[in-house]
Amino acid sequence: MSVPEYFVLDNEDRMPRIGFGTWQTSDDVLEKAVDAALKAGYKHIDTARAYENEATLGKALKRWIGDDEDKRKELFIVSKLPPGGNRPELVEEYFQASYNDLGLKYIDMYLMHVPFSFEHVPGDLHPKNPDGSMKVDLTTDIVSTWKAMQKLKDSGKVRHLGVSNMNEEQLKRLCEIAKPECLQVEVHILCQQKPLIAAASSLGIPIVAYSPLGSKALADMLSTKTGREYPSQLDLPAVKEIAEKHGRTPAQILLRYLLQHGVAAIPKSTDPTRIQQNINVWDFELNEAEFNELRSLDQGENGRICDFSFFRGVEKHPEFPFKK
Ligand code: A2P
């Protein structure tokens, strides 16, 4: 099954279906990793205000682009409104902070990062109560924030608007104002999001998969906290067997599966060899039997890793997206 290399957006801009993820990458390693990713041919790079690394990414991008407008045009840079900014009167301020740090004339895609909200505490993107729970703002609503985000386009500083971590009902509600041009959610072999992908596809919304390789760092952190075990997706026997047959690595099989599953993916790595490997997924295909075998590994909601349990208290927000 052949897969297009891009999603074509409403104005014909192209969003590459393999991007480079930057979550949980510290500043010192990020700069080198982004250099390696740009050299390897990645055009789509994903960041967020909440990752607290936009200035570092901006430095690496500036070095790569120099004065070459064409080099900038080839790139597709994504950032996100943090949970403290989910209020109409704060959207512009938070966007401007990302815009300044990235140092680009425009950002290609700006997403509402999550549908729940934290209190706005200047200088603290993850404000906590003394007991360690998050300072959650229960009064915010995604529709008014989404309306305010639409105005960002008028400035020319952002070309496309989308959302992340939303469920089908939330997507539909936002579509009544304006269709999100992208939905970024967790998708991998154990959490394949089949119903959400079908719903987004019928609404004409492209999906970008975060944690496409199972986000080992997050799984390890949650496992330490809760004792729950998260299987290593790279070590699943079916994945390893198919990788051997194709002379590919397990990561390439997981990513190729996602492409054939109809979504874009933003794997992250800090290792130049693996960074290169993760974008070399265009010159082979999984056959129907292999595809179906991997499709059957889906655990649905039970396979979700990023359930936001590390933000204690957000599950009480009326817009918390995941209902068991
Ligand atoms: P590393 O940075 O050492 O390469 P996800 O994108 O799902 O969040 O997964 C990222 C994790 O997967 C990181 O721990 C990363 O480690 C690891 N990883 C990324 N690419 C590969 C690869 N090609 N093979 C094995 N592990 C990989």
Side-chain angles (χ1 to χ4, degrees), residues 23 210-217 234 249 251-252 266-271 273-275 277-278:
W23 184 34
Y210 72 70
S211 300
L213 304 174
S215 201
K216 185 172 178 336
L234 298 159
T249 65
Q252 288 174 313
I266 47 169
K268 64 180 171 294
S269 176
T270 50
D271 175 87
T273 308
R274 291 194 283 274
I275 287 171
Q277 206 182 91
N278 294 347

Side-chain angles (χ1 to χ4, degrees), residues 249-261:
T249 65
Q252 288 174 313
I253 299 303
L254 293 173
L255 294 170
R256 182 71 208 183
Y257 176 75
L258 293 178
L259 294 174
Q260 292 186 210
H261 187 44

Side-chain angles (χ1 to χ4, degrees), residues 230-246:
Y230 297 86
S232 161
Q233 304 188 8
L234 298 159
D235 293 321
L236 292 170
V239 175
K240 282 167 84 171
E241 200 180 298
I242 295 171
E244 265 170 43
K245 267 199 241 157
H246 283 271

Side-chain angles (χ1 to χ4, degrees), residues 43-220:
K43 307 291 183 212
H44 173 169
I45 300 186
D46 180 81
T47 186
R49 193 74 199 146
Y51 303 166
E52 304 189 59
N53 62 14
E54 290 170 308
T56 306
L57 173 58
K59 240 168 48 182
L61 290 175
K62 188 171 180 194
R63 206 167 39 236
W64 176 258
I65 296 167
D67 296 324
D68 191 338
E69 292 281 329
D70 288 339
K71 264 181 144 175
R72 165 64 189 102
K73 276 191 210 145
E74 282 173 5
L75 298 176
F76 193 92
I77 308 299
V78 181
S79 188
K80 310 186 193 84
L81 178 71
N86 279 1
R87 234 169 264 100
E89 66 278 15
L90 292 174
V91 165
E92 167 72 29
E93 179 184 330
Y94 275 94
F95 172 78
Q96 193 60 40
S98 290
Y99 181 81
N100 292 347
D101 276 359
L102 286 166
L104 301 167
K105 287 200 184 121
Y106 62 92
I107 292 176
D108 295 271
M109 176 77 82
Y110 194 56
L111 309 179
M112 194 188 314
H113 202 153
V114 289
F116 52 79
S117 315
F118 299 155
E119 285 178 21
H120 167 59
V121 179
D124 188 355
L125 289 163
H126 300 101
K128 289 194 175 72
N129 295 306
D131 68 359
S133 63
M134 304 309 296
K135 286 188 189 245
V136 180
D137 181 348
L138 301 172
T139 66
T140 55
D141 92 291
I142 53 174
V143 172
S144 56
T145 303
W146 186 233
K147 282 183 184 161
M149 285 176 71
Q150 302 306 310
K151 296 193 192 126
L152 292 174
K153 269 184 153 180
D154 301 341
S155 66
K157 291 178 182 172
V158 62
R159 292 174 70 87
H160 302 280
L161 296 169
V163 296
S164 183
N165 293 303
M166 293 211 182
N167 61 34
E168 181 178 340
E169 182 279 319
Q170 290 169 326
L171 271 189
K172 286 186 172 153
R173 214 170 345 130
L174 295 191
C175 279
E176 286 175 22
I177 312 300
K179 185 181 81 169
E181 292 188 80
C182 164
L183 169 65
Q184 188 181 123
V185 281
E186 175 176 347
V187 191
H188 47 70
I189 201 102
L190 300 180
C191 177
Q192 296 190 21
Q193 302 272 25
K194 291 169 191 164
L196 186 58
I197 290 173
S201 153
S202 71
L203 293 165
I205 301 173
I207 291 214
V208 174
Y210 72 70
S211 300
L213 304 174
S215 201
K216 185 172 178 336
L218 176 62
D220 286 352

